[in-house]
Amino acid sequence: MNTIKTSTLNPISRLIFSSRWMQLPLYLGLILAQGVYVILFIKELFHLIEGATNLSEQLIMLAVLGLIDVVMISNLLVMVIVGGYETFVSRLNLQGHPDLPEWLSHVNASVLKVKLAMAIIGISSIHLLKTFIAIGSLGSANSAFTEAGVMWQTIIHMVFILSAIGIAYTDKLMSEALRVSGKEH
């Protein structure tokens, strides 16, 4: 294994390579943001439990979907924090750890992009489902939704899906090209 010590790099190379550590405060900020989502989850769960006997089934379903949404956003944050740090800043050296996520063993920028795209689609799906459940008052004066708003939300969701398909297809083409070029050398 050919390892390069940073002390043997010229000063410009060392500075450029060390600049990756400037991302550390960004990842720490995302950890704090995840803490905010934990607080939001607890608050929303408390409201759900408190109103469980008074809420309609539709409102309970919307509240549960809201909780799922918070969990999915939190999962997205974990993927970005752990996967991004591991890919762009420094290795976490978690080999052999019993809680090591399966996906982290083969994380790279391409895998992270596809996983993030799929998480965004999941979050968008929850929002769209919440809209479809709450849409009963569409057209009335007190409705929180408009036909145009629902249409745009659906279009944006479809764009997310098409983007994820495009990212996955591009990743597949790149993987195949690397595999073929690796066999030729």
Side-chain angles (χ1 to χ4, degrees), residues 52-114:
T53 58
N54 302 327
L55 296 174
S56 68
E57 181 181 358
Q58 181 180 7
L59 289 176
I60 291 172
M61 192 181 319
L62 287 171
V64 170
L65 287 173
L67 293 174
I68 292 169
D69 189 36
V70 170
V71 169
M72 291 181 78
I73 291 171
S74 185
N75 290 342
L76 177 64
L77 282 168
V78 168
M79 281 191 284
V80 171
I81 294 165
V82 175
Y85 184 88
E86 174 90 10
T87 301
F88 300 111
V89 178
S90 183
R91 297 280 175 223
L92 292 171
N93 296 320
L94 298 173
Q95 296 79 6
H97 192 283
D99 295 330
L100 179 68
E102 179 273 328
W103 58 269
L104 192 57
S105 64
H106 55 273
V107 72
N108 60 39
S110 293
V111 169
L112 200 53
K113 279 189 294 189
V114 172

Side-chain angles (χ1 to χ4, degrees), residues 117-118 121 124-125 154-167:
M118 296 308 294
I121 289 171
S124 176
S125 297
T154 305
I155 289 170
I156 291 168
H157 179 71
M158 295 306 296
V159 168
F160 285 155
I161 291 172
L162 291 174
S163 296
I165 291 169
I167 290 168

